[in-house]
Amino acid sequence: MLQWRSLERDEFGELPDFAAIDHVPSMKRAFFRYMTPIIEHHNDVIRAQRARLKALQQAGPPDELPDDEARWLRQLSVRYELPWQADTPPEGLLAALLLRVDTIPLPLALAQAAKESGWGRSRFAVEGNNLFGQWCYTEGCGIVPANRSTGARHELEVFPSVSEAMRRYMNNLNTHERYREFRALRARLRREDEPMAGLKLARALIYYSERREAYVKEIRSMIRQFRRMLAESSAP
């Protein structure tokens, strides 16, 4: 039986002080260089999960999964917020998981991180490693926004690391009902063997921000601008 190597780790260090870099192009390149391996790591974790799912799918629908595979599927279902029932046909669960267990394009993740965190310089990024504007609703779970409306209960969640914030951001896109259209578009691109382009997928993130279309337009504009910067940041 194939042994699937665990890719879970967190060795990326603390968020750098990007505000201390006065030269804006240098600050943006530093942001890319810090964020890129974190994004790639979590996409690698997802790729490994997806490869294992595909291997199970291609092996054919057995009457009963081996205990270790059933245990792994149950754990993965919990992570990707799908109901688990012991009598669920494996092929149905595998198909449902494959819609969710998929990668987020690097340019899209970079653009959203830069936009939501002010290039890693916002209060929520610096104090809580929250680069994606993720909310929580239990009192004391995070940082209370200074401009929170009267009666609102949300806080900006505090994460133990940027890496964990990245994992949660990707999991959010891969599980939340608001991003069903995003996942459907991604699956269609795969079926039609089209590139998994962040520019296309950004169109399906209209509910990520209360600014709706204006937010999507800004993210897509940032992705276009990033192409040259990404090439520069990957140069030796």
Side-chain angles (χ1 to χ4, degrees), residues 135-137 144-145 147-155 210:
W135 290 7
C136 57
Y137 295 91
V144 177
N147 59 349
R148 188 174 69 173
S149 302
T150 302
R153 295 177 50 250
H154 71 276
E155 300 179 14
E210 295 176 348

Side-chain angles (χ1 to χ4, degrees), residues 49-61:
Q49 294 169 343
R50 186 174 178 85
R52 188 169 179 176
L53 287 170
K54 294 289 286 185
L56 287 174
Q57 187 181 58
Q58 291 166 6

Side-chain angles (χ1 to χ4, degrees), residues 186-203:
R186 183 176 59 186
R188 181 175 67 78
L189 292 175
R190 280 202 178 276
R191 285 195 308 272
E192 297 176 0
D193 202 25
E194 292 189 28
M196 197 68 62
L199 202 60
K200 290 182 179 179
L201 288 173
R203 292 183 182 274

Side-chain angles (χ1 to χ4, degrees), residues 27 36-37 47 54 63 84 111 149 232:
M27 179 272 294
T36 294
R47 287 187 188 98
K54 294 289 286 185
D63 294 334
W84 168 268
S149 302
E232 291 175 355

Side-chain angles (χ1 to χ4, degrees), residues 110-158:
L110 282 172
Q112 289 200 273
K115 178 65 180 175
E116 295 291 334
S117 72
W119 295 90
R121 299 169 298 174
S122 73
R123 173 192 172 202
F124 307 116
V126 173
E127 296 181 13
N129 291 314
N130 190 334
L131 275 75
F132 293 96
Q134 290 146 292
W135 290 7
C136 57
Y137 295 91
T138 302
E139 185 176 357
C141 63
I143 302 168
V144 177
N147 59 349
R148 188 174 69 173
S149 302
T150 302
R153 295 177 50 250
H154 71 276
E155 300 179 14
L156 272 291
E157 189 161 0
V158 171

Side-chain angles (χ1 to χ4, degrees), residues 1 11 14 17 33 38 73 88 94-95 97 108 112 115 129 142 153 160 165 170 196 199 206:
M1 179 179 177
E11 303 171 357
E14 296 182 356
D17 184 3
R33 287 184 174 131
I38 301 177
L73 274 179
T88 300
L94 291 171
L97 278 168
L108 177 59
Q112 289 200 273
K115 178 65 180 175
N129 291 314
R153 295 177 50 250
M170 291 186 173
M196 197 68 62
L199 202 60
I206 194 168

Side-chain angles (χ1 to χ4, degrees), residues 49-81:
Q49 294 169 343
R50 186 174 178 85
R52 188 169 179 176
L53 287 170
K54 294 289 286 185
L56 287 174
Q57 187 181 58
Q58 291 166 6
D63 294 334
E64 185 175 335
L65 287 171
D67 288 344
D68 59 338
E69 297 291 14
R71 184 165 52 251
W72 178 76
L73 274 179
R74 182 165 58 250
Q75 293 168 347
L76 200 67
S77 297
V78 170
R79 173 167 287 196
Y80 285 91
E81 301 182 16

